[in-house]
């Protein structure tokens, strides 16, 4: 029984040339964009500035986990309940976003006391800013249903 085998033809020459071509095209496109000093894709804060967008409404909210898995949302300014997101409901997006932001705070050694600013802009954008870290999320990027889950929290009359 022979233990000799050949590794020369394991990758077809055409596939290797295609992969190299893809790398070269990617590098060329990136280099051309940098050399031409093309602006990066739309940056929401820059778009708001260029459109002279102003704040329509904003609400400072604090999110707290409850023992039963629900998330209690408090309007910090009005010092009243703004809503509750029960576990395993359609508002799971709110829970997911807030868990991610809370994790970011824990990694930075920050507490949960600072509120989050939920802001609707005159150009229709909706943003959520962590006042402790300065991190901002553009909620329209997650689709209309997920945006609507946060949009509902702007109405001070609605308590979910």
């Amino acid at each position: 029984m022979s233990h000799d085998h050949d590794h020369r033809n394991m990758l077809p020459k055409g596939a290797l040339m295609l992969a190299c071509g893809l790398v070269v095209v990617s590098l060329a496109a990136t280099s051309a964009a940098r050399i031409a000093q093309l602006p990066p894709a739309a940056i929401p804060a820059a778009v708001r500035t260029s459109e002279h967008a102003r704040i329509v409404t904003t609400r400072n909210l604090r999110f707290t986990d409850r023992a039963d898995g629900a998330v209690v949302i408090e309007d910090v300014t009005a010092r009243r309940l703004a809503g509750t997101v029960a576990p395993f409901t359609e508002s799971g997006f709110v829970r997911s976003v807030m868990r991610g932001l809370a994790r970011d705070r824990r990694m930075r050694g920050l507490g949960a006391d600072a509120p989050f600013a939920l802001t609707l802009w005159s150009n229709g954008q909706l943003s959520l800013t962590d006042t402790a870290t300065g991190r901002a999320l553009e909620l329209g990027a997650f689709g209309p249903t997920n945006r609507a889950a946060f949009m509902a929290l702007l109405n001070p009359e609605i308590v979910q």
Side-chain angles (χ1 to χ4, degrees), residues 17-145:
M17 290 176 64
L18 220 72
C20 288
L22 182 61
V23 169
V24 168
V25 168
S26 298
L27 288 173
T30 303
S31 297
R34 297 289 265 168
I35 290 168
Q37 295 181 347
L38 296 176
I43 298 170
V47 170
R48 285 194 287 268
T49 301
S50 70
E51 293 178 354
H52 305 290
R54 64 191 192 310
I55 294 173
V56 173
T57 187
T58 191
R59 201 166 184 201
N60 291 315
L61 303 170
R62 183 176 296 125
F63 296 79
T64 310
D65 284 328
R66 211 166 54 189
D68 65 356
V71 176
V72 176
I73 307 163
E74 174 193 359
D75 183 323
V76 175
T77 307
R79 294 184 179 182
R80 63 178 227 147
L81 182 67
T84 304
V85 179
F88 310 111
T89 63
E90 290 181 9
S91 296
F93 176 69
V94 173
R95 294 169 50 80
S96 297
V97 166
M98 299 319 301
R99 286 232 161 89
L101 291 171
R103 181 180 180 275
D104 187 27
R105 282 184 177 185
R106 279 192 309 274
M107 288 176 59
R108 296 173 188 232
L110 302 172
D113 290 337
F116 294 87
L118 182 60
T119 306
L120 177 63
W121 299 88
S122 60
N123 64 355
Q125 292 180 345
L126 183 65
S127 63
L128 180 69
T129 304
D130 184 345
T131 61
T133 66
R135 182 177 175 192
L137 297 177
E138 299 302 321
L139 299 168
F142 298 102
T145 304

